[in-house]
Amino acid sequence: MSSPVFHYRHKSLCVEDVFLSDLAQWVGTPFYVYSAGKIGSQYLQYEGAFREVPHTICFAMKSNENLAVCRLLASLGAGADIVSLGELYRAHQAGIPMSKIVFSGVGKTEEEIAAALKAGILMFNVESSEELDVIHAVAQRLRRVAPVSLRVNPNVSVDTHRHITTGHAENKFGIPLSQAEKLFMHASRSSWLKIMGVQVHIGSQILDLSPFRETVRKLQGLIERLEEKGIFLHVVDIGGGLGVPYQGQSPVHPSELARIVAPLMKKNVRLVFEPGRFLVAESGALVSKVLYRKETGRKKFVIVDAGMNDLLRPALYEAHHPILPVHQSAALPSEKADVVGPVCESGDTFARSRLIPHVKRGDLVAFLMSGAYGFSMSSQYNARPRAAEVLVKGHEWWVVRARETLRDLVRGEKVPPYLSVKKKGR
Ligand SMILES: Cc1ncc(COP(=O)(O)O)c(C=O)c1O
C-alpha cells in the first residue's frame, strides 16, 4: 500500500517531492518524517465539515507534540487539547492562542490548574467532583473565575482496541451521566466557576461512527434537562476519536460526523472538537534501516534499527503499520517475515509473519501512518537516543527535532559523591 503522500518516483519512495533516501543520508536513521501538505489537507477536511456553525478545532497535542507540527496547525486556525503543564508550555511555544486551549485529563494537579487559569485557557474539562472542588479553590485563591466544562461518560461501546475506549462505564474517564446534573447544579452555585459546557471523548481510532449517534442523543437529553433547571451551555465538546485506515479500511470523513452531530448544531452553542490521530497519523512515517536478516528454520526475521522505544503502538496495542521498502526491487519475491527492532523485549515486533517485499541488510524501510502517537510515545528505553523528526513541504524539508545525543541520555543525572569514580588521567 502506498498513498498520494508517500509515493514511488523512479522506484524510490518520496514524501511530497522529497526522496526518503536523501533524507536518510542527511539525518541518519531512524527518523520520523511528516508531510505538511497532508496535515493541512486533513485539517481543512475537518474545518470544512463544520464551516456553517461556530466551532473550534483543538488539536489533541498528545498525538504529536512537535512544535513545528503544532505551529503548522495553529497557523491554520487550530487550538489545542492539552493534558499537562508540559503541553501547555509546548502550546505556548508553538503560538497556539490560549483562548483556544481546552485542558483534559483525569489527574490535573493544583499547580497545573493554577498555571492554566493564569494563562487564560478556554476551559477545563473536569472529570470528577473532587477536581471541580480543587478548581474552585484555586480560582478563589487566585481571584480568577475558572471556565469549566464537565466531561461526562455516556457509557457507549465503541468497536476499537480495549486500551483506547474511553466512554464506557468501565473506563476511568468522565463523570457518569447519572451524576452530571447534580454536579452542574453544584458548579452553578459557585461564583468562582463559569459553566462553559459539556464534553465527551468516547474513544480513539473509531471507524464506525454509530456510537457518536447514541452519544449525541444522550447529550441532547442532558442539555434539555439542564435547561429546565436554568443552566444554559455555551459549548459542546465532542472530543476526538475519528479513525484512519491503517489497514486499508474505508476512511471516515468529518462530514459524516457533522451529519451525526447535526442536532447539536441547531442548539445555540459552540462546538469543540479534539482530533489528534485524524489530523496527523497519515502524514507521518518512521524510516528505518535493515540491520540484519535471520532465519531460524521456523521463522524469518528482519531486524531494523528502529525499536519499540521509537514506535510503541505495535507493542502496546498490536497496532498495524504498513511497511514499505524505500527502494522498490523486483529481484526477489515477497516473503513472510517478522519485522523486529533491536530492543531486548520479544514485544519489540512491528509485524508478525507479514508478507513484505524482500529487503536485505542496509535497505531502508518506512513504517507508514506513524504521524500520530509515534514520536510522542517514544522513550529512551534500552538507552536509545530518540529519533530525529523532519517536516517536508513540497521539495523543502527541515529537521524539526534533532536526534538525541548520548549526552541527552544522562542529562540531569548525578552520582552521589560517595559513589563517584575517579576518572583515570585526572
Ligand atoms: C480527551 C481526549 N481528547 C482527544 C483525544 C484524541 O483522540 P484521537 O487522537 O483519537 O482523535 C484523546 C485521546 O486519547 C483524548 O483522551
Side-chain angles (χ1 to χ4, degrees), residues 139-356:
Q140 193 170 33
R141 175 164 55 80
L142 296 178
R143 312 206 71 70
R144 282 174 188 249
V145 173
V148 293
S149 278
L150 297 195
R151 176 174 180 175
V152 297
N153 184 325
N155 191 20
V156 293
S157 298
V158 172
D159 181 19
T160 189
H161 191 278
R162 67 194 154 85
H163 287 180
I164 50 178
T165 96
T166 53
H168 194 266
E170 299 285 309
N171 303 127
K172 69 176 175 181
F173 298 102
I175 296 155
L177 264 179
S178 55
Q179 299 172 12
E181 272 171 75
K182 209 166 141 208
L183 211 53
F184 270 109
M185 293 304 290
H186 178 62
S188 72
R189 286 192 281 271
S190 161
S191 49
W192 293 108
L193 299 176
K194 175 175 183 201
I195 296 179
M196 298 293 287
V198 64
Q199 190 249 3
V200 287
H201 172 73
I202 58 175
S204 205
Q205 183 51 15
I206 302 172
L207 288 167
D208 166 13
L209 300 191
S210 45
F212 280 106
R213 199 165 284 119
E214 195 185 338
T215 303
V216 166
R217 197 176 47 72
K218 290 186 171 176
L219 284 181
Q220 271 183 290
L222 175 66
I223 294 169
E224 277 155 25
R225 289 196 298 282
L226 289 173
E227 284 175 353
E228 281 162 19
K229 295 195 160 86
I231 296 177
F232 294 89
L233 305 185
H234 311 281
V235 171
V236 177
D237 181 341
I238 305 294
L242 290 200
V244 294
Y246 287 110
Q247 300 196 63
Q249 305 98 320
S250 344
V252 286
H253 193 284
S255 57
E256 294 170 48
L257 182 62
R259 271 195 292 281
I260 293 176
V261 302
L264 295 174
M265 293 192 199
K266 293 195 195 103
K267 304 244 167 220
N268 191 17
V269 292
R270 170 168 292 275
L271 291 181
V272 171
F273 300 94
E274 302 169 359
R277 190 185 310 274
F278 182 85
L279 297 183
V280 292
E282 288 170 86
S283 77
L286 171 65
V287 181
S288 179
K289 192 160 69 190
V290 176
L291 293 176
Y292 302 106
R293 294 174 54 86
K294 166 163 148 175
E295 297 193 19
T296 61
R298 293 185 115 191
K299 280 210 156 193
K300 281 183 189 163
F301 292 95
V302 170
I303 302 161
V304 298
D305 67 357
M308 63 188 282
N309 70 300
D310 297 302
L311 177 61
L312 184 61
R313 298 188 66 256
L316 190 62
Y317 312 128
E318 295 153 347
H320 178 104
H321 286 271
I323 304 173
L324 291 184
V326 168
H327 290 290
Q328 276 181 319
S329 152
L332 288 166
S334 293
E335 58 183 353
K336 263 195 182 166
D338 280 20
V339 181
V340 301
V343 172
C344 295
E345 299 277 347
S346 295
D348 184 23
T349 298
F350 295 111
R352 286 181 205 281
S353 299
R354 172 108 54 101
L355 188 65
I356 53 163

